[in-house]
Amino acid sequence: MIRNPQRPGPMPYHRYRPFQDRVHVPEFDRLWPSARLERSPLWVPVDLRDGNQALAEPMDTDRKHRFFELLARTGFKEIEIGYPSASRADFDFVRHLAGLVGSGDFPEDVTPVVFTPARPELIERTFAALDGLPRAVVHLYIATSPVWRDTVLGRDRAEVRRTVHEAATLMARLAETRAGTDIRFQFSPETFNLTEPDYVLELCDGLTALWDASPDRPVTHNLPATVEISTPNVYADQIEYMHRHLARRDAVILSVHPHNDRGTGVACAELAVLAGAQRVEGCLFGNGERTGNVDLVTLALNLYAQGVDPMLDLSDIDAVRDVVEYCNRLPVHPRHPYAGDLVHTAFSGTHQDAISKGLARHAKDAAEAGIPPELAPWNVPYLPLDPADLGRGYEAVIRVNSQSGKGGVAHLLRTHHGLDLPERMRPDVSRAVQEVTDESGREASPGDLHALFRTAYLEPGRGAGPVALESWSTAHDAGNVTGTDADVDVATAGFTGRGHRFACVLRIGDRTVPAEGKGNGPLSALADALTRAGIPVDVLDFAEHAVTTGSAGEAAAYVECRVGGRTVWGAGLDTSVLTASVQAVLSAVNRAYEA
């Protein structure tokens, strides 16, 4: 093991304490492990306050307004719009929204939330910002855990309780003077997850009584994991304990506000909802202080993928992401759940094969059930939900590099270029692709794959090789067909008739050789002609289909041939099935000679 020469021993883990040494979590018969997520909580985005204060360049009013419009359009019904006592910019934005009331630009079904510390002058400044708003939630916060009380506030439990009581009393009095605004209250004991449970109950129950909360006018108690300190199950235990012991529980909206310091913010929120939380605060795509707030998009789409209505419209995930990236001036990671550029993309060959088969099976099952594919039950390997539900296509689901396999290559050739390779041919094409991607170390686009297929399989059948057809014709009971303008219908493509003759002029290197062969079909007759000319050929397998993209009326043909002891595949593409099939045989012959 390589050690830091400045610190020869192990990392000083002894400096840190486990959560149970930092906060008491009462033991009780918890119920949340057997609960199920069956409906959406109330989502409350805090991007315009908590997310904004974490930005190196905070949003201006124009960016905030664009973000607010996005949040309202997406379906959020409570939106934290700012910290009006913290800065002129936040105050002015609240006033900006208040100025929209009555103009039709302020959504009637959205309740704005404003944030304030427990300081009288800042509370008064907060209420001054609310003038003209028809409704609002005023969110009071103070840090309550021992380390914050001792180190940051310099107050004991009684002093913090007195500060909270005085602030809440002032809020109630100021609310009474604003008859035109429907004001409700919210309280956050910041660093709840590090605070003694009995003390949190004392503070919350005191405010529930002081604000005279009732079922028709509830108070919100928001319990933050301000800094994560434990595994998510511990936070769930803390939330359930509060859920079961809060006074006037039917008059309380129990809310949570997880951060992501340990990378488990989503799990904390989900387990907290199992434990009794009714409301979740977070940010879109997880922006926020340090490692960020919990990501509301991931939470909502996790529910959606379980068949639960998230009560949000995320059907154009890229449009949502574009606005968030513009306003925050921060990118969303390519691997970010649901929204990243690569989250629906498979490079691995085994994954690609499973996805390709799954998509084909989904389309088949939907057709057999007589319902549109977009409404059919989703059960495609490696894709937890249908990318189309998020406004995305399937173009980027499978991409090819040196790690990819036959399934991915075949899928892209089929979906982008209408070439449905036979199952037995796919490993051969995949090997040709891998030689190129191994050499370049780069991804192969669908256009790259088609160019490679054309060079490796189609052009050798069109004269780009040592063996070519200068002219040809075939004859059977129905008459003659000449190669230069050949056209047969698909019914003839099986080549199952008897007594076929194939006459041609071959160019073999710099020699021109007339040849003629017989067989039970045009391809076997061509193989016989080639054999008589000194090129032993047996047709082992054949497939053809109409091409579903590109030029109208084209057909693709694929043949597996044994050429002089080598087994190779060839392909052809033409408006005539017969011509495409002849090209495919010539392709196989030339590929055998070039190998």
Side-chain angles (χ1 to χ4, degrees):
M1 182 172 67
I2 299 175
R3 296 192 184 278
N4 184 337
Q6 303 299 319
R7 184 181 47 78
M11 291 179 67
Y13 59 88
H14 61 276
R15 301 176 62 208
Y16 303 97
R17 295 180 294 156
F19 79 90
Q20 63 267 25
D21 292 348
R22 302 175 68 189
V23 63
H24 172 62
V25 180
E27 294 185 4
F28 61 98
D29 184 18
R30 59 188 186 177
L31 301 177
W32 67 260
S34 61
R36 297 289 182 270
L37 294 175
E38 296 177 339
R39 63 178 182 175
S40 170
L42 175 64
W43 310 114
V44 180
V46 296
D47 301 82
L48 299 176
R49 194 275 304 172
D50 204 346
N52 186 59
Q53 72 187 34
L55 299 175
E57 297 180 73
M59 289 179 261
D60 55 23
T61 294
D62 288 342
R63 277 183 163 82
K64 283 189 173 184
H65 183 79
R66 184 170 175 181
F67 211 135
F68 179 81
E69 287 183 323
L70 168 70
L71 295 172
R73 188 167 61 247
T74 302
F76 293 101
K77 302 306 179 186
E78 268 190 32
I79 301 173
E80 191 169 73
I81 59 174
Y83 190 162
S85 67
S87 69
R88 170 57 69 108
D90 270 30
F91 185 91
D92 288 349
F93 180 66
V94 177
R95 299 305 308 140
H96 166 74
L97 290 182
L100 299 177
V101 174
S103 68
D105 293 330
F106 188 87
E108 296 183 359
D109 59 347
V110 170
T111 299
V113 181
V114 290
F115 193 69
T116 181
R119 291 174 52 185
E121 71 279 13
L122 300 183
I123 293 171
E124 290 174 351
R125 176 74 169 164
T126 300
F127 272 82
L130 300 179
D131 288 344
L133 288 173
R135 60 199 166 275
V137 173
V138 180
H139 181 180
L140 173 69
Y141 83 95
I142 193 169
T144 56
S145 66
V147 68
W148 265 257
R149 294 195 309 257
D150 298 341
T151 304
V152 181
L153 301 177
R155 302 175 192 175
D156 61 20
R157 286 175 51 148
E159 289 171 318
V160 170
R161 182 175 61 252
R162 183 165 57 252
T163 299
V164 170
H165 182 84
E166 290 171 355
T169 300
L170 175 60
M171 288 169 57
R173 181 170 60 78
L174 292 173
E176 289 177 355
T177 66
R178 282 166 170 74
T181 304
D182 179 15
I183 294 177
R184 292 190 294 107
F185 302 121
Q186 175 176 337
F187 173 60
S188 286
E190 191 185 10
T191 65
F192 154 79
N193 58 328
L194 277 167
T195 304
E196 308 93 330
D198 67 302
Y199 187 48
V200 177
L201 280 172
E202 182 182 340
L203 293 174
C204 290
D205 288 347
L207 293 182
T208 300
L210 189 155
W211 286 329
D212 194 22
S214 62
D216 60 344
R217 193 170 185 77
V219 64
T220 298
H221 286 313
N222 185 54
L223 308 180
T226 307
V227 180
E228 284 193 303
I229 63 163
S230 65
T231 50
N233 60 295
V234 175
Y235 186 56
D237 288 349
Q238 293 174 306
I239 297 302
E240 182 171 342
Y241 183 83
M242 298 298 296
H243 165 59
R244 292 167 65 173
H245 290 85
L246 282 166
R248 298 197 205 181
R249 183 63 186 87
D250 61 348
V252 172
I253 297 172
L254 183 56
S255 176
V256 293
H257 181 112
H259 277 255
N260 201 42
D261 300 271
R262 293 168 52 95
T264 59
V266 167
C268 280
E270 291 179 331
L271 269 58
V273 173
L274 291 175
Q278 301 151 287
R279 180 182 184 272
V280 178
E281 294 187 347
C283 290
L284 272 60
F285 308 119
N287 180 42
E289 297 281 10
R290 303 179 310 282
T291 55
N293 292 78
V294 69
D295 175 16
L296 296 185
V297 173
T298 297
L299 285 170
L301 292 177
N302 281 356
L303 281 183
Y304 182 78
Q306 295 291 312
V308 177
D309 185 355
M311 307 300 289
L312 297 175
D313 182 3
L314 296 166
S315 59
D316 190 348
I317 194 74
D318 290 327
V320 174
R321 191 185 73 177
D322 287 346
V323 173
V324 174
E325 288 184 325
Y326 168 77
C327 293
N328 287 343
R329 288 178 265 214
L330 288 173
V332 171
H333 195 280
R335 297 291 184 189
H336 193 97
Y338 300 110
D341 284 335
L342 296 177
V343 297
H344 300 123
T345 299
F347 289 102
S348 161
T350 54
H351 291 204
Q352 292 173 340
D353 186 58
I355 291 171
S356 179
K357 291 175 179 175
L359 290 173
R361 177 65 177 270
H362 176 76
K364 177 176 178 289
D365 290 348
E368 289 176 352
I371 57 178
E374 64 271 19
L375 298 180
W378 183 256
N379 192 27
V380 174
Y382 295 112
L383 296 177
L385 53 77
D386 187 346
D389 288 354
L390 304 181
R392 290 184 168 177
Y394 300 110
E395 292 82 3
V397 169
I398 292 177
R399 290 164 60 177
V400 170
N401 63 14
S402 61
Q403 305 300 311
S404 304
K406 60 183 188 223
V409 172
H411 175 85
L412 291 181
L413 287 173
R414 182 179 68 251
T415 57
H416 288 268
H417 303 290
L419 299 172
D420 191 6
L421 305 183
E423 185 74 31
R424 282 159 44 84
M425 184 182 183
R426 294 176 186 181
D428 190 72
V429 178
S430 179
R431 281 191 293 272
V433 171
Q434 192 161 30
E435 288 178 8
V436 174
T437 53
D438 275 340
E439 180 68 24
S440 69
R442 298 169 58 186
E443 177 184 354
S445 69
D448 294 334
L449 293 177
H450 187 256
L452 189 153
F453 185 81
R454 183 176 61 247
T455 299
Y457 291 90
L458 298 180
E459 290 178 2
R462 297 170 173 172
V467 180
L469 284 170
E470 296 287 345
S471 63
W472 62 273
S473 64
T474 183
H476 55 85
D477 292 343
N480 295 332
V481 178
T482 303
T484 54
D485 58 357
D487 190 14
V488 295
D489 65 34
V490 176
T492 313
F495 308 121
T496 57
R498 301 184 61 82
H500 285 74
R501 289 186 295 109
F502 193 98
C504 61
V505 177
L506 287 167
R507 175 175 52 78
I508 304 174
D510 56 3
R511 296 183 300 123
T512 300
V513 180
E516 182 173 327
K518 296 181 179 180
N520 64 357
L523 293 194
S524 59
L526 169 58
D528 184 53
L530 288 165
T531 301
R532 291 172 185 268
I535 304 173
V537 177
D538 289 316
V539 177
L540 306 178
D541 197 4
F542 169 80
E544 59 81 20
H545 64 82
V547 176
T548 56
T549 62
S551 301
E554 280 195 315
Y558 315 93
V559 295
E560 184 184 28
C561 296
R562 184 182 296 112
V563 182
R566 288 181 51 83
T567 301
V568 291
W569 280 90
L573 188 67
D574 196 84
T575 55
S576 161
V577 176
L578 178 58
T579 301
S581 305
V582 170
Q583 289 177 0
V585 173
L586 265 292
S587 168
V589 168
N590 282 311
R591 294 187 73 244
Y593 271 75
E594 292 170 354

